[in-house]
Amino acid sequence: MLLIALVMSLGSLSIDNLLPAFGPIQADFGIADPNDLQLLITTYMVPFAIMQAVYGPVSDVIGRRPTLMVGLAVYLIGGVVATTAASFSMLLIGRAIQGAGLAATRVLTVAIIRDRFAGCEMARVMSITMMVFIIVPMLAPTSGSLLLLLSTWRIIFAAILGFAVLVAVWFYNRMPETLHPEYRRSFAFGQVSSAVRSTVSTRISIGYATAMALMMGCLMSYIGSAQQIFETEVYGLGAMFPLVFGCIAAFMGAASFTNATLVRRLGMRRLSHIGICGFALVAAVQLGVAVLYDGRPPLLLYAAIFAVNQFLYSLTVPNFNSIAMVPLAALAGTASSFIGAYTTLVGALFGLVIGRSFNGTVIPLSIGYLCLGTACLVVVLWIEKGRLFLRSQPEQGGAEQALPVAAE
C-alpha cells in the first residue's frame, strides 16, 4: 500500500508544496489582490473533480493500471506548462492540466483498494494509506520553503515534476492489474449511465458522498486561506508557517492511525458518527472563540481548536468514503469516479466561496466550518433515519466481499 499512498500523495504535494510560493508568485506576476492566488487551488481542483467522471468508467473497460498511467502522463504535461509559465494565466492553465491528469489518482487509488478489500477492512487499509498520505502535507510546506531558498518558485514545480516521474516509473514496474475479469465492462454510455443511476439511487452511497463533499468543503477552504491566515495577514508567522501547518497535519495523521486501530472493533459508522458530532461541536467553539477575539484569537488557542477539528475530520471522511463504496463492488471504477467527481467539485466550490470571503480574520473560515459541519450532520441523520452510532451488517463484510487480484 506504500505505492498507492505515494500516488495519492501527488495530489497533496501539488497543493501544499505550493503554499509558500504564493508570495513570490504574487510579486513575480504583479497580482494586486492576494485572494486571486487562491485560483491556483481552484483551477487545479475543478478539472480534478470533473475528470474523475471520465477515468472511472474508462478504468472499468481497460483496467486500473493503464488508465492511471494515462492520467500521470497528462499530469506531467501540466507540470511542464506550469514550470515554464510566462504569465499568471499560463500558470493557471498548467494547474488546470495538472488537475485533469491527477484526477486519475483520486479515482483509481480508491478503486484499487475497493477491488481488493471491503467493509471495515477497506476502511482500515484506507486509514493506513492516509497515514502515509498525510505525511506529505506535514512536510510539503517546509520542503517548498527550502526550495525557495535555492531558487525561484519554479523550482517547486520542477521538484514535483521529478517526483511524479519517479512515482510513475515505480507504479508501471510494480503495480499489477487489480480489476477482476468478471467486473470488466464494455464501453457503452448506457452502462455508464446505469452505473451512475445505481450510485445515485443507493441511499447510503449518495448520502455519505454528500456528507463527504460537505466535509471536503471545509478542507478546501482551509487550504485556500491557510497561507493568508498563518503566514501573512492574521498571524504573520512568515517562515514559521510550515511548522504550524505541519503540526495541524500531524493531528490528521494521528486520526488516521486511530481509525485504522479502532475501525474493526467499533465499525465505520460509529467512528464516523463520533467524528461528525464532535466536528460540529468543536466548530461552534471555533467560531465562538473567533468572534470573542474579533477574528484574531491567540495563535496557540485557535491552532489547538483547529487541530482538534482536523483530527475529527480525518476520523470521519475515510469512513464516509468506505461506507459509500460498500454496496458498489461490481462497479467500483465508475462509482468511485462519480463519487470522487461529485465530492471534489462540491468541496472545491464551497472552498472557493469560503476562501474568497477571507477578510483578514479567521471568522469567515470558522463560519464555513460550522455551517458545513452542521449540514453534514443533518445529512448523516437523514441517511440513518435519526439513528446514529449503530453498526450495520455490511460493515462486517471483509473477506467475502473482497475481490481477488487479477494476474498482471
Side-chain angles (χ1 to χ4, degrees):
M1 288 299 107
L2 175 61
L3 178 54
I4 294 298
L6 289 176
V7 172
M8 290 177 65
S9 71
L10 274 173
S12 180
L13 189 66
S14 298
I15 295 175
D16 300 329
N17 209 36
L18 190 60
L19 296 180
F22 275 21
I25 290 173
Q26 181 182 7
D28 196 7
F29 293 124
I31 300 167
D33 185 357
N35 282 352
D36 287 344
L37 293 168
Q38 296 182 22
L39 293 174
L40 291 168
I41 307 298
T42 306
T43 54
Y44 171 91
M45 292 302 302
V46 172
F48 181 85
I50 294 171
M51 286 301 296
Q52 290 179 53
V54 175
Y55 289 118
V58 170
S59 77
D60 282 342
V61 177
I62 69 174
R64 317 299 190 210
R65 190 168 177 269
T67 306
L68 186 53
M69 292 306 302
V70 169
L72 289 174
V74 173
Y75 175 78
L76 293 177
I77 294 171
V80 172
V81 173
T83 304
T84 59
S87 66
F88 188 60
S89 297
M90 187 57 65
L91 178 58
L92 294 180
I93 291 173
R95 291 291 288 165
I97 298 172
Q98 283 187 310
L102 216 61
T105 66
R106 167 62 179 84
V107 173
L108 296 174
T109 50
V110 175
I112 288 169
I113 293 173
R114 182 63 187 93
D115 285 342
R116 302 186 63 178
F117 305 98
C120 286
E121 191 62 20
M122 178 184 175
R124 188 184 71 83
V125 173
M126 283 290 292
S127 293
I128 293 172
T129 304
M130 285 294 290
M131 277 191 291
V132 180
F133 168 71
I134 287 172
I135 290 175
V136 173
M138 291 172 60
L139 303 177
T142 300
S143 65
S145 297
L146 292 175
L147 288 170
L148 285 175
L149 295 176
L150 301 176
S151 186
T152 67
W153 57 267
R154 297 178 191 276
I155 195 175
I156 295 178
F157 282 99
I160 299 172
L161 194 61
F163 180 70
V165 170
L166 293 176
V167 170
V169 171
W170 190 6
F171 185 91
Y172 180 81
N173 289 320
R174 297 299 300 272
M175 177 58 68
E177 180 58 62
T178 63
L179 177 62
H180 195 258
E182 69 184 70
Y183 290 155
R184 195 177 290 268
R185 306 161 71 91
S186 60
F187 189 79
F189 179 77
Q191 288 191 351
V192 173
S193 61
S194 175
V196 172
R197 283 197 303 271
S198 296
T199 304
V200 172
S201 61
T202 303
R203 182 188 183 99
I204 289 175
S205 297
I206 190 61
Y208 276 101
T210 299
M212 186 164 59
L214 293 167
M215 294 296 284
M216 286 190 67
C218 295
L219 183 64
M220 289 298 99
S221 63
Y222 166 55
I223 291 174
S225 54
Q227 184 264 349
Q228 291 168 278
I229 289 175
F230 292 114
E231 184 176 6
T232 56
E233 298 187 40
V234 179
Y235 293 110
L237 295 179
M240 294 297 291
F241 161 60
L243 176 62
V244 175
F245 192 87
C247 288
I248 292 174
F251 277 77
M252 299 175 72
S256 295
F257 177 79
T258 301
N259 192 60
T261 303
L262 297 179
V263 70
R264 281 176 169 169
R265 181 150 50 99
L266 298 181
M268 296 180 289
R269 276 178 167 78
R270 287 179 184 171
L271 278 175
S272 62
H273 295 172
I274 290 170
I276 186 54
C277 289
F279 185 94
L281 179 62
V282 174
V285 175
Q286 182 178 332
L287 177 58
V289 168
V291 172
L292 181 64
Y293 287 93
D294 295 323
R296 295 173 177 268
L299 172 63
L300 290 179
L301 175 61
Y302 190 77
I305 296 171
F306 199 84
V308 171
N309 240 3
Q310 294 307 99
F311 178 96
L312 294 167
Y313 171 95
S314 294
L315 200 65
T316 302
V317 171
N319 289 312
F320 281 176
N321 199 12
S322 298
I323 296 170
M325 290 294 293
V326 164
L328 306 172
L331 37 101
T334 302
S336 176
S337 70
F338 173 78
I339 290 174
Y342 172 57
T343 57
T344 306
L345 184 58
V346 172
L349 292 177
F350 274 124
L352 176 63
V353 171
I354 297 170
R356 298 283 291 184
S357 300
F358 178 74
N359 61 359
T361 75
V362 299
I363 290 178
L365 181 65
S366 302
I367 292 174
Y369 263 56
L370 179 58
C371 291
L372 293 181
T374 302
C376 180
L377 178 57
V378 170
V379 170
V380 172
L381 286 168
W382 168 76
I383 302 166
E384 301 293 349
K385 300 179 180 179
R387 296 171 296 178
L388 301 182
F389 311 112
L390 300 178
R391 179 170 179 165
S392 63
Q393 190 60 33
E395 289 191 31
Q396 315 296 330
E400 75 278 5
Q401 290 179 293
L403 309 178
V405 180
E408 186 174 6

